[in-house]
Each structure stands twice: as C-alpha cells, then as structure tokens.
Amino acid sequence: MAAPAPLLHPDPDPSFAELLALRPHLRMDPLAGLMMEEVPLARIAAAHGTPVWAYSAGALRRRLAALQGALKEARLGAQVHFAVKANPNLAVLRLLGQQGAGADVVSEGELRAARAAGIPAAHIVFSGVGKTLAEIRLALAEDIQQINAESAEEVEMISAVATAMGRVARVALRVNPDVDAKTHAKITTGKSENKFGIAIGEAPALYARMSSLPGIQPIGVAVHIGSQITAGVGAYRTAYGHLADLVRTLRAQGLSVERVDCGGGLGIPYRDEPAPSPAALAGAISATLGNLGVELMVEPGRWIAGPAGVLVTSVVLQKLGEARRFVVLDAAMNDLVRPAMYEAWHGIVPVAPADFAAPLAPADIVGPICESGDTFARGRGIPSLAPASLVAILDAGAYGAAMSSTYNSRPLAAEVLVDGDRFALVRERQTQEALLAGQHVPEWLDA
C-alpha cells in the first residue's frame, strides 16, 4: 500500500482534546467514553442505533442566555427570535421558547412547528422571499408579530390577502444593503445580486407606498446579510449603518418606524477559526442603531444550536485503497450535507476512550452513498477504527437534521435530547415502511 495522502489543511488540525475543550457540554470519560453532559454517547447509540443526532439542552440554554445577556449588557433590550430553519425539532423549539426566545420562520411548516412547540404567535416573525398566498393567510390568521416583506410584489400580495380577510398585517420591509459579509457564496444574502430584499435605495418609495395600501401597517425595516459570518463585525456595522440612515430618511418623510430587525448570521468556529462574539454583535448594533428609539430584534440560529448538537455514527468498515485509507461510516451526506454542499469542516472525534488516545493516521472519512461528494473529511487524522466503532461529528446541531433527505432511500435518523443525566427520543427514526408510504403504482401498470 502506498503512503496515505497528506493532510490537506495547511495548518495542523486541532487535537481531539482541543476540540472538546471548546465545547463544555462534551468531555471524554476514561471509562464511559465521550459524554454529552452526563450521558455517554455510546449509551444513546445502543438505545437508538446509528446514525443518531444528539442535542445538549444545557448548551442550548447557555448559548441563548449568553446572547440575551450580551444584548442586555449593551442596554439594547433586543428580542431574540430563533431561526427555526436551523433546527425545527419541537423539543428544541419548546426549550428555547421556555427561555424567552421567539421564532423566525420561513414557511408554513416552520410556523406550525413554532406554534406546536408553544411559541406565542406574538413572538413569531415570518421571513422569506417566496411566501405563498396560503402562507400569508396562515400568518394573518395566527396574528403573528410581523411579516418581513421582501419585494414590491409581495407587499401587494399581503395587502390583497389582508384586505380580503378583514385583517391588518404588521409588515417590516426587508432591504438589501449590498454588503459583502465575506461568507460562503451559497449563504450570503446581503449583496445586490442576491435574491433577498429590495435595494435599499428603493426602500423609501416602497415604504411610503405601504403606508397608503389597505390592510398593511408598516412597522419597520429588516436586514439579513448572510449566514456563518466569521470575518468580524465590520459587515454588520456597515449594514446597520445603512439601516440607521434609512430609518432617519423614512422619519424625515413623516413615516413611522417602530422596529428594526437586525437578522442573524453570527458564525461559530467549526475548526479553530476566530468568530465574533455576541458582545461584538451587540456592540455593532448599539453603535449604529442604539439611539434611534426603535424596538430591536435579532434572528440567530446556528450560533445557538450549532455547537449543541452532534451526529453519532458507526464505522461500517475501513477500506485500504491504492493511495489512501477510507473510513466508511453509516452516516452519509443525506444525513449531514454541509461538507458536500459547502466544503464545510466538522470536527470528528472517536467515542471510545481507547480510540480517542490511539495513534492517528490520515484517512478520508466518507459515507456509503453513491456519490464521491459523500465525504465528511479528506486526509483527516483518525485512528484505525474497527467496524462498529463510534465517532461523533461535532457542531451538527444547526443545518444538520434540518437539511437531511432520504437520498438513496435512506431513512431519516433519530434525534435525541440530553439534559443532565437524562436523555429522551425527540424524533423517531424513520422506518423503511414510511419511506414507501404515500407512493402509489398506477392501475394500468398492473393490467
């Protein structure tokens, strides 16, 4: 066998111990192995099989509290609306709602999930560029806090639906400030070529138009410049500065502006990259919008839920290729698509104590799907792992299960919530029978 391919990242990867040190809800027990809070991940795998998602209730609470605390320390009094698209699990939403978080939703399904989880309609914001008439009707029937309109055409739709229903829609206008957040091209949302919002220069005329339409109460403006923003808060400051200028312009025209929705996007360190803190974000908001006398809101998703979750998966086999070693897992890109879609880096840590301490060698860590893109890591240092060995893929609590599919007819994995020394199944593993349910063969094929 030829020598394995070298590690591809120019800098050494963080060690397993270094990865865990930054994630206080995870630790290696010398006997029980990798623990989430006080529960061995091996026990979860034994109870519910693999692959399986595990979420730390303690981490969710701490991270939400840290963000709320930073906003309070900056004397902003801003509302936190969790971006449901990051993790729509009902148990996660219920837990965050109990801690005072509202919900930012982008579909009928997310709105219904937030309500089913107990989040009050008065704490729900509906965003998104393509709301259907049915979704607008539902939002108005539920009397949610506000709808973020993203185009002149959508404003007209909301007006027509609200008028027909005899309702008045509270509407914020989402603007596109043409600010580059320096994030991945597929998750940037604040540049002029992106589909989101209206050009900020066109906002005064459209906001004035909203004030004259029946069924609409303009209540403010909104912005969201991208996801997984790690290049400091400079882009936030620029975008919020443009938003502050817009608020002053609208008020100078005699228009009422009560709220500013600052969006989300605060990044997390998946590897060991620097990432801005909630305090830095709060500082950017305070410096630009803090003296306008408006209600403020933020829409984090990844920052709260990402580090709180892991994907526990089993080794199917090790394959020794001509030039490299492959560790094949029973998880795949249909479970966690981020590495395939965004070239994203996720820490991968052995669960067993002996594997955690064993010598490392480079390997490609892959799934069983018939795609070369079904790869979690290339040239990653990992010990020799026997079949059925467990590994945990870190920082999978956001855009993990939420983006899962049944590609290759693979059932959706189970989800578990850990809280101290307790854990509970919060979403059942999809059955093979459920994969076929709802499909029908036309009669003529059996004729």
Side-chain angles (χ1 to χ4, degrees):
M1 175 181 172
L7 294 173
L8 300 182
H9 198 281
D11 300 319
D13 287 325
S15 68
F16 299 149
E18 289 170 335
L19 288 170
L20 297 188
L22 297 176
R23 295 155 179 85
H25 54 291
L26 299 173
R27 63 182 176 86
M28 176 55 65
D29 183 275
L31 296 178
L34 188 58
M35 308 278 289
M36 174 173 279
E37 302 192 24
E38 298 305 315
V39 175
L41 291 178
R43 186 188 302 170
I44 294 175
H48 298 294
T50 58
V52 58
W53 305 93
Y55 309 125
S56 163
L60 290 166
R61 292 189 187 102
R62 283 193 301 272
R63 296 184 71 81
L64 173 59
L67 180 57
Q68 291 169 327
L71 295 169
K72 183 178 180 180
E73 182 71 19
R75 300 181 180 179
L76 294 172
Q79 304 170 32
V80 176
H81 291 73
F82 178 68
V84 175
K85 61 181 175 288
N87 190 322
N89 185 278
L90 291 184
V92 170
L93 299 181
R94 174 70 63 86
L95 182 154
L96 295 175
Q98 289 175 342
Q99 304 301 307
D104 170 67
V105 306
V106 294
S107 70
E108 176 180 346
E110 289 187 0
L111 174 52
R112 292 188 182 278
R115 295 295 287 123
I119 295 176
H123 294 167
I124 296 176
V125 175
F126 202 138
S127 303
V129 299
K131 305 175 195 71
T132 65
L133 292 174
E135 288 174 328
I136 295 171
R137 291 189 193 100
L138 177 63
L140 293 174
E142 290 285 332
D143 195 24
I144 67 169
Q145 183 175 11
Q146 74 184 45
I147 300 174
N148 288 349
E150 303 218 12
S151 65
E153 293 81 1
E154 185 181 35
V155 167
E156 299 290 341
M157 289 171 61
I158 296 170
S159 173
V161 172
T163 301
M165 293 177 64
R167 299 289 186 112
V168 175
R170 292 177 290 273
V171 180
L173 185 61
R174 177 173 176 177
V175 299
N176 187 319
D178 194 21
V179 171
D180 186 358
K182 305 297 182 184
T183 187
H184 194 284
K186 292 180 180 178
I187 50 177
T188 187
T189 59
K191 297 172 67 176
S192 59
E193 64 263 31
N194 299 142
K195 65 182 179 180
F196 302 94
I198 71 155
I200 197 165
E202 299 174 5
L206 182 53
Y207 200 88
R209 167 69 175 158
M210 288 166 58
S211 300
S212 69
L213 285 174
I216 286 189
Q217 177 191 354
I219 49 90
V221 291
V223 71
H224 179 70
I225 59 174
S227 185
Q228 184 52 11
I229 297 171
T230 57
V233 295
Y236 282 122
R237 281 180 173 267
T238 301
Y240 297 158
H242 293 331
L243 217 57
D245 290 341
L246 174 61
V247 170
R248 296 185 186 98
T249 297
L250 295 175
R251 287 176 169 172
Q253 295 176 2
L255 300 169
S256 174
V257 182
E258 302 172 20
R259 298 180 192 149
V260 173
D261 185 340
C262 299
L266 194 64
I268 61 174
Y270 283 95
R271 190 175 179 275
D272 55 3
E273 65 273 29
S277 67
L281 175 64
I285 297 172
S286 178
T288 51
L289 300 165
N291 63 351
L292 293 179
V294 293
E295 297 177 30
L296 294 165
M297 56 180 67
V298 294
E299 301 169 359
R302 184 193 316 269
W303 197 89
I304 292 174
V310 301
L311 177 59
V312 183
T313 173
S314 299
V315 174
V316 176
L317 54 85
Q318 285 195 114
K319 176 182 175 181
L320 301 181
E322 182 177 349
R324 57 204 313 128
R325 176 171 64 110
F326 298 92
V327 176
V328 184
L329 306 177
D330 65 356
M333 62 184 286
N334 75 293
D335 300 300
L336 180 63
V337 75
R338 295 192 69 257
M341 180 175 287
Y342 304 124
E343 302 83 39
W345 196 99
H346 282 263
I348 303 175
V349 177
V351 169
D355 292 335
F356 187 86
L360 307 183
D364 287 2
I365 304 174
V366 302
I369 277 180
C370 296
E371 301 269 355
S372 295
D374 183 25
T375 298
F376 295 111
R378 298 186 186 277
R380 184 74 62 85
I382 198 84
S384 179
L385 296 171
S389 299
L390 299 174
V391 299
I393 303 178
L394 307 184
D395 303 318
Y399 306 105
M403 297 180 74
S404 295
S405 74
T406 58
Y407 184 47
N408 275 198
S409 293
R410 291 170 49 86
L412 298 175
E415 298 175 59
V416 168
L417 182 68
V418 175
D419 198 351
D421 60 358
R422 302 172 295 179
F423 68 95
L425 184 69
V426 293
R427 182 170 181 172
E428 297 177 358
R429 184 178 306 281
Q430 190 178 31
T431 64
Q432 293 289 344
E433 292 75 19
L435 280 174
L436 300 178
Q439 298 189 53
H440 304 280
V441 177
E443 294 179 0
W444 69 78
L445 294 181
D446 291 331

